Amino acid sequence: MRAVEWVDDHLRLLDQTKIPHQIEFIEVLKVDQLVDAIVSLAVRGAPALGAAGAYGVVTALDQGKKENWSEKEIEEQILKIRNARPTAVNLAWGVDQAHKLISQGRDQVLKLAHKISQEDEDGNKKMGKFGADWILKKLNKQKINVLTHCNTGMLATTEWGTAFGVIRELHSRGNIEMVYADETRPLLQGSRLTAWELVQNKIPHLVLADGAAASTILRKKVDVALIGADRIAANADTANKIGSLSVALACYEAKIPFLVVAPESTIDLSTKSGDSIEIELRNDSEILEFNGKRVAPLESRGYNPAFDVTPAKYISAIVTELGVIEVSKGETPEKRK
Ligand code: MRU
């Protein structure tokens, strides 16, 4: 099972709004279906969005052919996919990679999308090994307690996972004592998706409220925190799911490593620092309601940023498929290149 997959002649998405209770797929035949899936988080997670964006260009070309769109209409539809969510750079990256190949024909674009998907999977496995090696060397400990935030597993990628991939690697080596999975308010990517993946992989875990993370870290129950990323700036500032910064601050205070695990496609050298990363503001109903039921007074308005930015100062290292960037030793993506 894959979150993002090309089946026969179309894109198929695992509907992540239904997990863990139902396994349902969305058969994407039109651009609007893909845009809706991205906005509703039926497909989500930066690397999965990158692959979906690339396949989405093929969807636009196929729909355009069926419906006799002009070149301008095709361009507009592709732009709709690119702009469906602003923070994860991988979405724009995937669309742009595919867009460059349009002049070579639809089949070349599809081939490229498959390549992006396969390279994501291969890269994730490398990150898993790099991350696990780094942690075991650093902590010099056999049984490790990990805290993670949001979902970074096979659902958020094309297979395996980024931060979750490191957890899988550690588990396969017999090094996981416990995984603390933040529930990840407001859309519960932790309690719905990460917990589901932890169950699938038979990894011992506890789901905790986001607000419990800092005290759990300061009470020394956690050895290392691992998160994914939606955009990493040239100076290593990192945007990720709202609540990641609180975890980083607690790790800094507790003097334990805070690691970002992400593919190279998440590094955006054109963004110099986190200050210029656009943070997606989502509908306040996600905060004011719970499970579709209003909980806040009708008079209240909500504030719902979907991401935060962790300054480089609080990041120990960034793990990509090319190796480890030791941010706490002054390395950054920009200086490395
Ligand atoms: O809003 P989401 O669920 O798309 O946010 C996802 C995250 O913040 C992930 O941590 C990030 O995309 C990395 S996924 C490997």
Side-chain angles (χ1 to χ4, degrees):
M1 199 191 321
R2 293 172 88 94
V4 176
E5 193 172 18
W6 191 264
V7 180
D8 302 328
D9 62 347
H10 68 278
L11 175 61
R12 194 173 80 172
L13 302 172
L14 180 57
D15 185 348
Q16 300 189 36
T17 63
K18 303 275 168 48
I19 292 175
H21 303 297
Q22 280 153 275
I23 303 294
E24 281 182 23
F25 293 92
I26 300 170
E27 311 295 337
V28 177
L29 299 167
K30 297 190 173 217
V31 167
D32 283 349
Q33 285 176 293
L34 175 57
V35 172
D36 287 349
I38 294 172
V39 171
S40 67
L41 308 199
V43 59
R44 47 149 297 283
L49 289 172
Y55 283 122
V57 174
V58 186
T59 305
L61 294 174
D62 288 350
Q63 190 183 355
K65 193 170 174 202
K66 270 189 217 130
E67 300 182 13
N68 278 322
W69 288 349
S70 65
E71 229 169 80
K72 184 166 167 270
E73 282 170 310
I74 292 176
E75 287 298 318
E76 283 165 3
Q77 295 297 315
I78 291 174
L79 202 62
K80 254 167 70 178
I81 301 170
R82 193 184 191 276
N83 294 340
R85 293 187 80 192
T87 306
V89 69
N90 307 58
L91 175 59
W93 174 86
V95 169
D96 291 347
Q97 297 298 307
H99 187 266
K100 280 187 214 153
L101 287 196
I102 291 181
S103 60
Q104 294 184 28
R106 176 257 191 214
D107 289 350
Q108 288 305 313
V109 181
L110 181 59
K111 226 168 127 183
L112 188 264
H114 288 326
K115 185 166 170 263
I116 287 178
S117 190
Q118 188 57 48
E119 284 180 356
D120 183 61
E121 180 178 342
D122 299 344
N124 279 194
K125 291 188 175 145
K126 287 185 191 150
M127 282 172 233
K129 291 191 176 20
F130 285 136
D133 289 347
W134 189 93
I135 290 166
L136 292 171
K137 190 165 169 223
K138 183 90 181 167
L139 297 178
N140 193 22
K141 209 177 159 189
Q142 280 313 299
K143 287 285 184 187
I144 291 164
N145 294 289
V146 177
L147 183 135
T148 191
H149 191 75
C150 197
N151 170 263
T152 62
M154 63 77 102
L155 294 169
T157 60
T158 60
E159 229 297 308
W160 198 251
T162 58
F164 196 87
V166 176
I167 293 171
R168 284 174 85 168
E169 177 67 26
L170 285 169
H171 180 62
S172 75
R173 298 185 193 182
N175 294 121
I176 288 287
E177 176 77 28
M178 184 60 71
V179 176
Y180 291 89
D182 283 357
E183 66 168 346
T184 317
R185 287 281 298 149
L187 295 178
L188 307 176
Q189 289 91 332
S191 55
R192 292 186 304 108
L193 309 179
T194 299
W196 181 76
E197 291 202 47
L198 286 161
V199 170
Q200 303 295 311
N201 288 282
K202 299 190 172 50
I203 301 176
H205 62 280
L206 295 166
V207 178
L208 67 165
D210 295 358
S215 67
T216 306
I217 291 166
L218 288 180
R219 292 202 162 206
K220 309 257 177 264
K221 287 186 181 295
V222 176
D223 300 304
V224 58
L226 294 171
I227 63 156
D230 286 84
R231 190 180 297 243
I232 300 171
N235 72 344
D237 291 353
T238 295
N240 193 53
K241 178 56 54 194
I242 192 77
S244 302
L245 172 59
S246 319
V247 173
L249 292 171
C251 290
Y252 192 76
E253 177 65 24
K255 299 188 174 55
I256 66 162
F258 177 85
L259 288 198
V260 174
V261 188
E264 290 287 322
S265 55
T266 306
I267 296 176
D268 177 14
L269 291 178
S270 71
T271 297
K272 291 295 162 209
S273 78
D275 296 343
S276 43
I277 298 178
E278 183 183 350
I279 299 294
E280 176 185 4
L281 270 185
R282 292 183 63 83
N283 198 306
D284 68 357
S285 63
E286 291 175 353
I287 299 289
L288 302 169
E289 296 173 1
F290 195 79
N291 237 348
K293 247 182 112 180
R294 181 87 185 188
V295 285
L298 285 174
E299 296 80 358
S300 299
R301 306 297 317 147
Y303 175 55
N304 190 14
F307 300 96
D308 56 29
V309 174
T310 299
K313 169 183 172 186
Y314 302 113
I315 297 171
S316 311
I318 296 170
V319 183
T320 80
E321 67 273 30
L322 297 185
V324 179
I325 303 171
E326 300 269 5
V327 183
S328 63
K329 294 184 183 160
E331 290 178 15
T332 64
E334 187 173 46
K335 283 190 208 155
R336 182 193 56 158
K337 297 263 164 170

